[in-house]
Each structure stands twice: as C-alpha cells, then as structure tokens.
Amino acid sequence: MERAWILFVAGLLLFLGSHSLRLCAPAWRERQLQRLGDKTWKGLYSLVSIAGFGLLVWGYGQLHTQLAPLFLLPEGAARGLRHLVALLVLPAFWLMVAAYVPRNHLKAALKHPMTLSVKLWALAHLLVNHTAADLLLFGGLLLWSVLLFRNARRRPAPAVAPGSWPGTLAVLVLGTGAYAVFAMVLHVRWIGVAPFLQG
C-alpha cells in the first residue's frame, strides 16, 4: 500500500503542479515558453501531465480497493447520492467537451468550461467517496479548480466565438458518448468500480 500512496501522491502533484503554473508561477512559465518555444513547451507539458495522470489513476485504483471509508452514510442516503452523482457527472462531461468543440453555447456563455467541469466532477465524487485517498484526490481537485477559476476570472475574458446550435449539439452528443464509455467501460477498468452496478 505504501508504494500505491507514493505513486498516487506523486501523480497528483505532477498533474496539479503542471496545470497550476499559470496560477502559481506565471513569470517562470513565460520565461520557459520563450526559451523553449511553443512546440517544445507544449510537448514537455503534455508528457508531464500524462505521466501524472497515469500515476494518480494507477495509485488511486490500488488504494480505492484497500482503504476503508473514514465514515459511512446510511444506505438509503448513499443510494440516493449515487443516483445524484450519475446526474451531475453528465453535465461535467458536456462542459469538458465544450472546452474543445468550437462555436458552442456553453463555452460562449461560461468562458472556462473545463475548469467548471473539474469542479462539478470533483464535487460529485466527494459526495459518495470517503476514504483518505478520495478526500485528497477529489478535495484537491475541487480546491484547485476553484482557485484556477477565480484566477481566470481576474484576467481579461478570452475571446470566444459566438455559440452555434451545430456546435452545441456536437458537445451534447460527444459528451454523452464519452460519459457512457467512461461510466460503463473505463471506470471499472481503471478504478475497479462499475458506477451503474452499485444500486
């Protein structure tokens, strides 16, 4: 279990650290961007992010099956919250996809849909996951997304193309498809939990 903790924490620090440079070290980030060039910087940034994500998923998947919850909810409340989480995570996927699909109404209205996606996803998972690893992962991501969104709101709003119905429809279709694949296939493979089979 100690190895799983080390890999999980290292992955979480790598992932959140690489995504927090604009928030915590903007001057250093700009210097490296100018020194390395856009392509090299993005390549290194992507490698670090992917490595961190892989480590935290692997470590969390190991810990999730070994750690006992810090507290337990009554079964009726737990069952109701699991249904609520299933509903909350769907719009989180829409928001995630909206960050990449051009000319959709969600991005045009919200400006920072990816950060809001992480916030909603983390909050939803905190409702039903209560081990120490859960609180560190989902609580950390929730705090990070709140701080990042606050920082983004202080900067000039990014130029975003007006929304269009084809773009918005693409967001809903792709986001729902990604949600279905993750919930029914990837979640159980990566984490060991089948969300829709928990009752």
Side-chain angles (χ1 to χ4, degrees), residues 135-158:
L135 298 183
L136 184 59
L137 174 60
F138 303 121
L141 286 170
L142 179 59
L143 177 61
W144 170 80
S145 61
V146 168
L147 293 175
L148 198 66
F149 186 73
R150 182 182 177 187
N151 179 262
R153 295 286 295 231
R154 290 177 174 176
R155 300 196 305 268

Side-chain angles (χ1 to χ4, degrees), residues 4 13 23 25 33 37 40 51 60 91 96 98 135 147 157 168 170 174 189 192:
L13 290 175
L23 176 65
L33 187 58
T40 302
Y60 177 77
M96 177 186 67
L135 298 183
L147 293 175
T168 303
L174 293 173
R189 289 186 181 178

Side-chain angles (χ1 to χ4, degrees), residues 61 64-65 186-194:
H64 187 78
T65 61
L186 297 181
H187 201 282
V188 68
R189 289 186 181 178
W190 291 355
I191 309 302
V193 176

Side-chain angles (χ1 to χ4, degrees), residues 8 12 16 60 118-119 121-127 129-147:
F8 168 64
L12 188 61
L16 290 183
Y60 177 77
V118 175
K119 188 187 300 186
W121 177 85
L123 176 61
H125 281 74
L126 271 177
L127 296 176
N129 297 283
H130 307 127
T131 69
D134 295 325
L135 298 183
L136 184 59
L137 174 60
F138 303 121
L141 286 170
L142 179 59
L143 177 61
W144 170 80
S145 61
V146 168
L147 293 175

